[in-house]
Coordinates of all heavy atoms in Angstrom, one line a residue:
G297 N 9.8 -33.8 0.9 CA 11.2 -33.1 0.7 C 11.1 -31.6 1.1 O 12.1 -31.0 0.8
T298 N 10.0 -31.1 1.5 CA 9.9 -29.7 1.8 C 9.8 -29.4 3.3 O 9.5 -28.2 3.6 CB 8.7 -29.1 1.0 OG1 7.5 -29.8 1.5 CG2 8.8 -29.2 -0.5
M299 N 10.0 -30.4 4.1 CA 9.7 -30.1 5.6 C 10.6 -29.1 6.2 O 10.1 -28.1 6.8 CB 10.0 -31.5 6.3 CG 9.9 -31.3 7.9 SD 10.3 -32.8 8.7 CE 12.1 -33.0 8.4
A300 N 11.9 -29.1 5.9 CA 12.8 -28.1 6.5 C 12.5 -26.7 6.0 O 12.6 -25.8 6.7 CB 14.3 -28.5 6.2
V301 N 12.3 -26.6 4.6 CA 12.1 -25.4 4.0 C 10.8 -24.8 4.6 O 10.8 -23.5 5.0 CB 11.9 -25.5 2.5 CG1 11.5 -24.2 1.8 CG2 13.3 -25.9 1.9
N302 N 9.7 -25.5 4.6 CA 8.5 -25.0 5.1 C 8.5 -24.6 6.5 O 8.0 -23.6 7.0 CB 7.3 -26.0 4.8 CG 7.0 -26.1 3.4 OD1 7.4 -25.3 2.6 ND2 6.4 -27.2 3.0
Q303 N 9.2 -25.4 7.4 CA 9.2 -25.1 8.8 C 10.0 -23.8 9.0 O 9.7 -23.0 9.9 CB 9.9 -26.3 9.5 CG 8.9 -27.4 9.8 CD 9.6 -28.5 10.6 OE1 10.8 -28.8 10.5 NE2 8.8 -29.1 11.5
S304 N 11.1 -23.7 8.3 CA 12.0 -22.5 8.4 C 11.2 -21.3 7.9 O 11.2 -20.2 8.7 CB 13.2 -22.6 7.5 OG 14.0 -21.4 7.5
L305 N 10.5 -21.4 6.8 CA 9.7 -20.2 6.4 C 8.6 -19.8 7.3 O 8.5 -18.6 7.7 CB 9.0 -20.6 5.0 CG 7.9 -19.6 4.5 CD1 8.6 -18.3 4.2 CD2 7.1 -20.2 3.4
I306 N 7.9 -20.7 7.8 CA 6.8 -20.5 8.7 C 7.3 -20.0 10.1 O 6.7 -19.1 10.7 CB 5.8 -21.6 8.9 CG1 5.1 -22.1 7.6 CG2 4.8 -21.5 10.0 CD1 4.3 -23.2 7.7
G307 N 8.4 -20.5 10.5 CA 9.0 -20.0 11.7 C 9.4 -18.5 11.6 O 9.2 -17.8 12.6
V308 N 10.0 -18.2 10.5 CA 10.3 -16.8 10.3 C 9.2 -15.8 10.3 O 9.1 -14.8 10.9 CB 11.2 -16.6 9.0 CG1 11.3 -15.1 8.6 CG2 12.5 -17.2 9.1
I309 N 8.1 -16.3 9.6 CA 6.8 -15.5 9.5 C 6.2 -15.4 10.9 O 5.8 -14.3 11.2 CB 5.9 -16.2 8.5 CG1 6.4 -15.9 7.1 CG2 4.5 -15.5 8.6 CD1 5.7 -16.7 6.0
I310 N 6.1 -16.5 11.6 CA 5.4 -16.4 12.9 C 6.2 -15.5 13.9 O 5.6 -14.7 14.7 CB 5.3 -17.8 13.5 CG1 4.2 -18.5 12.7 CG2 4.9 -17.8 14.9 CD1 4.0 -20.0 13.2
N311 N 7.5 -15.6 13.8 CA 8.3 -14.8 14.8 C 8.6 -13.4 14.3 O 9.0 -12.6 15.1 CB 9.7 -15.5 15.1 CG 9.4 -16.8 15.9 OD1 8.8 -16.8 17.0 ND2 9.9 -18.0 15.4
G312 N 8.5 -13.2 13.0 CA 8.8 -11.9 12.5 C 7.6 -10.9 12.4 O 7.7 -9.8 12.4
F313 N 6.4 -11.6 12.3 CA 5.2 -10.8 12.2 C 4.7 -10.3 13.6 O 4.9 -10.9 14.6 CB 4.0 -11.6 11.6 CG 4.0 -11.8 10.1 CD1 5.0 -11.3 9.4 CD2 2.9 -12.3 9.6 CE1 5.0 -11.4 8.0 CE2 2.8 -12.5 8.2 CZ 3.9 -12.0 7.4
S314 N 4.1 -9.1 13.6 CA 3.5 -8.6 14.8 C 2.2 -9.3 15.0 O 1.7 -10.1 14.1 CB 3.2 -7.1 14.6 OG 2.3 -6.9 13.6
R315 N 1.6 -9.2 16.1 CA 0.3 -9.8 16.4 C -0.7 -9.4 15.3 O -1.5 -10.3 14.9 CB -0.2 -9.6 17.8 CG -1.5 -10.3 18.1 CD -1.9 -10.0 19.6 NE -0.9 -10.7 20.4 CZ -0.7 -10.4 21.7 NH1 -1.3 -9.4 22.3 NH2 0.2 -11.0 22.4
Y316 N -0.8 -8.1 15.0 CA -1.7 -7.7 14.0 C -1.6 -8.5 12.7 O -2.6 -8.9 12.1 CB -1.5 -6.2 13.7 CG -2.3 -5.7 12.6 CD1 -3.6 -5.1 12.9 CD2 -1.9 -5.6 11.3 CE1 -4.5 -4.7 11.8 CE2 -2.7 -5.1 10.2 CZ -3.9 -4.6 10.5 OH -4.7 -4.2 9.5
S317 N -0.4 -8.7 12.3 CA -0.1 -9.5 11.1 C -0.5 -11.0 11.2 O -0.9 -11.6 10.4 CB 1.2 -9.3 10.5 OG 1.5 -7.9 10.2
R318 N 0.0 -11.5 12.4 CA -0.2 -13.0 12.6 C -1.7 -13.4 12.6 O -2.0 -14.4 12.0 CB 0.5 -13.4 14.0 CG 2.0 -13.4 14.0 CD 2.4 -14.2 15.1 NE 2.2 -13.6 16.4 CZ 3.0 -12.8 17.1 NH1 4.2 -12.5 16.6 NH2 2.6 -12.3 18.3
V319 N -2.5 -12.5 13.2 CA -4.0 -13.0 13.2 C -4.6 -12.8 11.9 O -5.7 -13.3 11.6 CB -4.8 -12.2 14.3 CG1 -4.2 -12.5 15.7 CG2 -4.8 -10.7 14.0
R320 N -3.9 -12.2 10.9 CA -4.4 -12.0 9.5 C -3.7 -12.9 8.6 O -3.8 -12.6 7.3 CB -4.3 -10.5 9.2 CG -5.3 -9.6 9.8 CD -5.0 -8.2 9.8 NE -6.1 -7.4 10.3 CZ -6.4 -7.2 11.6 NH1 -5.6 -7.7 12.5 NH2 -7.4 -6.5 11.9
T321 N -3.0 -13.9 9.0 CA -2.2 -14.9 8.2 C -3.0 -16.2 8.1 O -3.4 -16.7 9.2 CB -0.8 -15.0 8.7 OG1 -0.1 -13.7 8.8 CG2 0.0 -16.0 7.9
R322 N -3.1 -16.7 7.0 CA -3.6 -18.1 6.8 C -2.6 -19.0 6.0 O -2.0 -18.5 5.0 CB -5.0 -18.0 6.0 CG -6.1 -17.3 6.8 CD -6.4 -18.0 8.1 NE -7.5 -17.5 8.8 CZ -7.2 -16.5 9.8 NH1 -6.0 -16.3 10.1 NH2 -8.3 -16.0 10.5
L323 N -2.5 -20.2 6.5 CA -1.6 -21.2 5.8 C -2.4 -22.1 5.0 O -3.5 -22.6 5.5 CB -0.9 -22.0 6.8 CG 0.0 -21.1 7.9 CD1 0.6 -22.1 9.0 CD2 1.0 -20.3 7.2
H324 N -2.0 -22.4 3.8 CA -2.8 -23.2 2.8 C -1.8 -24.3 2.4 O -0.6 -24.0 2.1 CB -3.3 -22.4 1.6 CG -4.1 -21.3 2.0 ND1 -5.3 -21.3 2.7 CD2 -3.9 -19.9 1.8 CE1 -5.8 -20.1 2.9 NE2 -5.0 -19.2 2.4
Y325 N -2.3 -25.4 2.1 CA -1.4 -26.7 1.8 C -2.2 -27.5 0.8 O -3.3 -27.9 1.0 CB -1.2 -27.4 3.2 CG -0.2 -28.5 3.1 CD1 1.1 -28.3 3.2 CD2 -0.6 -29.9 3.0 CE1 2.0 -29.4 3.2 CE2 0.3 -30.9 3.0 CZ 1.6 -30.7 3.1 OH 2.5 -31.7 3.1
G326 N -1.5 -27.9 -0.4 CA -2.1 -28.7 -1.3 C -1.5 -28.6 -2.6 O -0.4 -28.0 -2.8
S327 N -2.2 -29.1 -3.7 CA -1.8 -29.0 -5.0 C -2.1 -27.5 -5.5 O -2.7 -26.8 -4.8 CB -2.5 -30.0 -5.9 OG -3.9 -29.7 -5.9
D328 N -1.7 -27.2 -6.7 CA -2.0 -25.9 -7.3 C -3.4 -25.6 -7.3 O -3.9 -24.5 -7.0 CB -1.3 -25.8 -8.6 CG 0.2 -25.5 -8.6 OD1 0.7 -24.5 -8.1 OD2 0.9 -26.5 -8.9
M329 N -4.1 -26.6 -7.8 CA -5.6 -26.4 -7.9 C -6.3 -26.3 -6.5 O -7.1 -25.4 -6.3 CB -6.3 -27.7 -8.6 CG -7.8 -27.5 -8.7 SD -8.5 -28.8 -9.8 CE -8.0 -28.2 -11.4
E330 N -5.8 -27.1 -5.6 CA -6.3 -27.0 -4.2 C -6.0 -25.6 -3.6 O -6.8 -24.9 -2.9 CB -5.8 -28.1 -3.2 CG -6.3 -29.5 -3.7 CD -5.6 -30.6 -3.0 OE1 -4.4 -30.4 -2.7 OE2 -6.2 -31.7 -2.8
L331 N -4.7 -25.1 -3.8 CA -4.3 -23.9 -3.2 C -5.2 -22.7 -3.8 O -5.5 -21.8 -3.1 CB -2.9 -23.6 -3.5 CG -1.9 -24.5 -2.8 CD1 -0.4 -24.3 -3.3 CD2 -1.9 -24.2 -1.3
Q332 N -5.4 -22.8 -5.1 CA -6.2 -21.7 -5.7 C -7.6 -21.7 -5.4 O -8.3 -20.7 -5.3 CB -5.9 -21.8 -7.3 CG -4.6 -21.4 -7.7 CD -4.2 -21.7 -9.1 OE1 -5.1 -21.5 -9.9 NE2 -3.0 -22.1 -9.5
Y333 N -8.2 -22.9 -5.0 CA -9.5 -23.0 -4.6 C -9.6 -22.4 -3.2 O -10.6 -21.7 -2.8 CB -10.1 -24.4 -4.6 CG -10.8 -24.8 -5.9 CD1 -10.2 -25.8 -6.6 CD2 -12.0 -24.2 -6.2 CE1 -10.9 -26.2 -7.8 CE2 -12.6 -24.5 -7.4 CZ -12.0 -25.6 -8.2 OH -12.7 -25.9 -9.4
Q334 N -8.6 -22.6 -2.4 CA -8.5 -22.0 -1.0 C -8.4 -20.4 -1.1 O -9.0 -19.7 -0.3 CB -7.3 -22.7 -0.2 CG -7.5 -24.1 0.1 CD -6.4 -24.6 0.8 OE1 -5.9 -24.3 1.8 NE2 -5.8 -25.7 0.2
L335 N -7.6 -20.0 -2.0 CA -7.5 -18.5 -2.2 C -8.8 -17.9 -2.6 O -9.2 -16.9 -2.2 CB -6.3 -18.2 -3.1 CG -4.9 -18.5 -2.7 CD1 -4.0 -18.2 -3.8 CD2 -4.5 -17.6 -1.5
Q336 N -9.5 -18.7 -3.6 CA -10.8 -18.1 -4.0 C -11.8 -18.0 -2.9 O -12.6 -17.1 -2.9 CB -11.3 -19.1 -5.2 CG -12.6 -18.6 -5.8 CD -12.8 -19.2 -7.2 OE1 -12.3 -18.8 -8.2 NE2 -13.5 -20.3 -7.1
S337 N -11.7 -19.0 -2.0 CA -12.7 -18.9 -0.9 C -12.4 -17.7 0.0 O -13.2 -17.3 0.8 CB -12.5 -20.2 0.0 OG -11.3 -20.2 0.7
H338 N -11.2 -17.1 -0.1 CA -10.9 -15.9 0.6 C -10.9 -14.6 -0.3 O -10.4 -13.6 0.0 CB -9.5 -16.0 1.2 CG -9.4 -17.0 2.3 ND1 -9.3 -18.3 2.2 CD2 -9.5 -16.8 3.7 CE1 -9.2 -18.9 3.4 NE2 -9.4 -18.0 4.3
G339 N -11.7 -14.8 -1.4 CA -11.9 -13.6 -2.2 C -11.0 -13.3 -3.4 O -11.0 -12.2 -4.0
I340 N -9.9 -14.2 -3.6 CA -8.9 -14.0 -4.6 C -9.3 -14.9 -5.8 O -9.1 -16.1 -5.7 CB -7.5 -14.3 -4.0 CG1 -7.2 -13.4 -2.8 CG2 -6.5 -14.1 -5.2 CD1 -6.0 -13.9 -2.1
P341 N -9.7 -14.3 -6.9 CA -10.2 -15.1 -8.1 C -9.1 -16.0 -8.6 O -7.9 -15.6 -8.9 CB -10.6 -14.1 -9.0 CG -9.9 -12.8 -8.7 CD -9.7 -12.9 -7.3
M342 N -9.4 -17.3 -9.0 CA -8.5 -18.2 -9.6 C -8.0 -17.7 -10.9 O -6.8 -17.9 -11.2 CB -9.2 -19.6 -9.7 CG -9.4 -20.3 -8.5 SD -10.2 -21.9 -8.7 CE -9.1 -22.8 -9.6
K343 N -8.9 -17.2 -11.7 CA -8.5 -16.8 -13.1 C -7.4 -15.7 -13.1 O -6.7 -15.5 -14.1 CB -9.7 -16.3 -13.9 CG -10.4 -15.1 -13.3 CD -11.6 -14.8 -14.1 CE -12.3 -13.4 -13.6 NZ -13.4 -13.1 -14.5
A344 N -7.2 -15.0 -12.0 CA -6.3 -13.9 -11.8 C -4.9 -14.5 -11.4 O -4.0 -13.6 -11.4 CB -6.8 -12.7 -11.1
C345 N -4.8 -15.6 -10.9 CA -3.6 -16.2 -10.3 C -2.6 -16.3 -11.5 O -3.0 -16.8 -12.6 CB -3.9 -17.5 -9.7 SG -2.4 -18.3 -8.9
P346 N -1.3 -15.9 -11.3 CA -0.3 -16.0 -12.3 C 0.1 -17.4 -12.6 O 0.8 -17.7 -13.6 CB 0.9 -15.2 -11.7 CG 0.7 -15.3 -10.3 CD -0.7 -15.4 -10.0
I347 N -0.3 -18.4 -11.8 CA 0.0 -19.8 -12.0 C -1.3 -20.5 -12.2 O -2.3 -20.3 -11.7 CB 0.7 -20.4 -10.7 CG1 1.8 -19.6 -10.2 CG2 1.0 -21.8 -10.8 CD1 2.9 -19.5 -11.2
D348 N -1.3 -21.5 -13.3 CA -2.5 -22.2 -13.5 C -2.6 -23.4 -12.6 O -1.8 -23.7 -11.8 CB -2.6 -22.6 -15.1 CG -1.5 -23.6 -15.5 OD1 -0.9 -24.3 -14.6 OD2 -1.2 -23.7 -16.7
S349 N -3.7 -24.2 -12.9 CA -4.0 -25.4 -12.0 C -3.0 -26.5 -12.1 O -3.0 -27.3 -11.2 CB -5.4 -25.8 -12.2 OG -5.5 -26.3 -13.6
S350 N -2.2 -26.4 -13.1 CA -1.2 -27.5 -13.2 C 0.2 -27.0 -12.7 O 1.2 -27.8 -12.7 CB -1.0 -27.9 -14.6 OG -0.5 -26.8 -15.4
G351 N 0.3 -25.8 -12.3 CA 1.5 -25.3 -11.7 C 2.3 -24.5 -12.7 O 3.5 -24.0 -12.4
A352 N 1.9 -24.3 -14.0 CA 2.6 -23.6 -15.0 C 2.2 -22.1 -14.9 O 1.2 -21.7 -14.5 CB 2.3 -24.1 -16.4
V353 N 3.2 -21.2 -15.3 CA 3.1 -19.8 -15.4 C 2.1 -19.5 -16.5 O 2.2 -20.0 -17.6 CB 4.4 -19.1 -15.5 CG1 4.1 -17.6 -15.9 CG2 5.3 -19.2 -14.3
R354 N 1.2 -18.5 -16.2 CA 0.3 -18.0 -17.2 C 1.0 -16.9 -17.9 O 0.9 -15.7 -17.4 CB -1.1 -17.5 -16.7 CG -1.9 -18.8 -16.2 CD -3.3 -18.1 -15.7 NE -4.2 -19.3 -15.5 CZ -4.8 -19.5 -14.3 NH1 -4.5 -18.8 -13.3 NH2 -5.7 -20.5 -14.2
P355 N 1.6 -17.1 -19.0 CA 2.4 -16.0 -19.6 C 1.7 -14.8 -20.0 O 2.2 -13.7 -20.1 CB 3.0 -16.7 -20.9 CG 2.1 -17.9 -21.2 CD 1.5 -18.4 -19.9
Y356 N 0.3 -14.9 -20.4 CA -0.4 -13.7 -20.8 C -0.7 -12.7 -19.7 O -1.1 -11.6 -20.0 CB -1.7 -14.2 -21.6 CG -2.6 -15.1 -20.7 CD1 -3.6 -14.6 -20.0 CD2 -2.3 -16.4 -20.8 CE1 -4.4 -15.3 -19.2 CE2 -3.2 -17.3 -20.0 CZ -4.2 -16.7 -19.2 OH -4.9 -17.6 -18.5
I357 N -0.6 -13.2 -18.4 CA -0.9 -12.3 -17.3 C 0.3 -12.1 -16.4 O 0.4 -11.2 -15.6 CB -2.1 -12.6 -16.5 CG1 -1.8 -14.0 -15.9 CG2 -3.3 -12.6 -17.3 CD1 -3.0 -14.3 -14.8
F358 N 1.4 -13.1 -16.6 CA 2.4 -13.0 -15.6 C 3.3 -11.8 -15.7 O 3.7 -11.4 -16.7 CB 3.3 -14.3 -15.9 CG 4.5 -14.4 -15.0 CD1 4.4 -14.5 -13.6 CD2 5.8 -14.3 -15.5 CE1 5.5 -14.5 -12.8 CE2 6.9 -14.4 -14.7 CZ 6.8 -14.5 -13.4
N359 N 3.4 -11.1 -14.6 CA 4.2 -9.9 -14.4 C 3.8 -8.8 -15.4 O 4.6 -7.9 -15.7 CB 5.7 -10.2 -14.6 CG 6.6 -9.2 -13.8 OD1 6.2 -8.7 -12.8 ND2 7.8 -9.0 -14.2
K360 N 2.6 -8.8 -15.8 CA 2.1 -7.9 -16.8 C 2.2 -6.4 -16.3 O 2.6 -5.4 -17.1 CB 0.7 -8.1 -17.3 CG 0.2 -7.2 -18.4 CD -1.2 -7.7 -18.8 CE -1.7 -6.8 -19.9 NZ -3.1 -7.2 -20.3
F361 N 1.9 -6.3 -15.0 CA 1.9 -4.9 -14.4 C 3.2 -4.2 -14.5 O 3.4 -3.1 -15.0 CB 1.4 -5.0 -13.0 CG 1.3 -3.6 -12.3 CD1 0.1 -3.0 -12.3 CD2 2.3 -3.1 -11.6 CE1 -0.1 -1.7 -11.6 CE2 2.2 -1.9 -10.9 CZ 1.0 -1.2 -10.9
I362 N 4.3 -5.0 -14.2 CA 5.6 -4.4 -14.1 C 6.1 -4.2 -15.6 O 6.8 -3.2 -15.9 CB 6.6 -5.4 -13.3 CG1 6.1 -5.5 -11.9 CG2 8.0 -4.8 -13.4 CD1 6.0 -4.2 -11.1

Side-chain angles (χ1 to χ4, degrees):
T298 59
M299 177 182 69
V301 171
N302 290 342
Q303 283 183 322
S304 174
L305 168 68
I306 294 176
V308 168
I309 290 171
I310 288 177
N311 289 304
F313 278 9
S314 66
R315 179 173 295 159
Y316 174 87
S317 299
R318 285 197 295 265
V319 298
R320 287 165 172 77
T321 298
R322 291 297 179 268
L323 305 177
H324 309 295
Y325 186 82
S327 65
D328 286 286
M329 181 170 287
E330 290 169 332
L331 291 174
Q332 290 172 37
Y333 270 116
Q334 291 176 60
L335 290 176
Q336 183 162 273
S337 71
H338 289 81
I340 302 173
M342 290 180 65
K343 64 181 181 180
C345 182
I347 309 298
D348 66 22
S349 59
S350 69
V353 168
R354 289 187 168 117
Y356 54 93
I357 63 172
F358 177 63
N359 208 27
K360 184 178 180 181
F361 183 91
I362 300 300

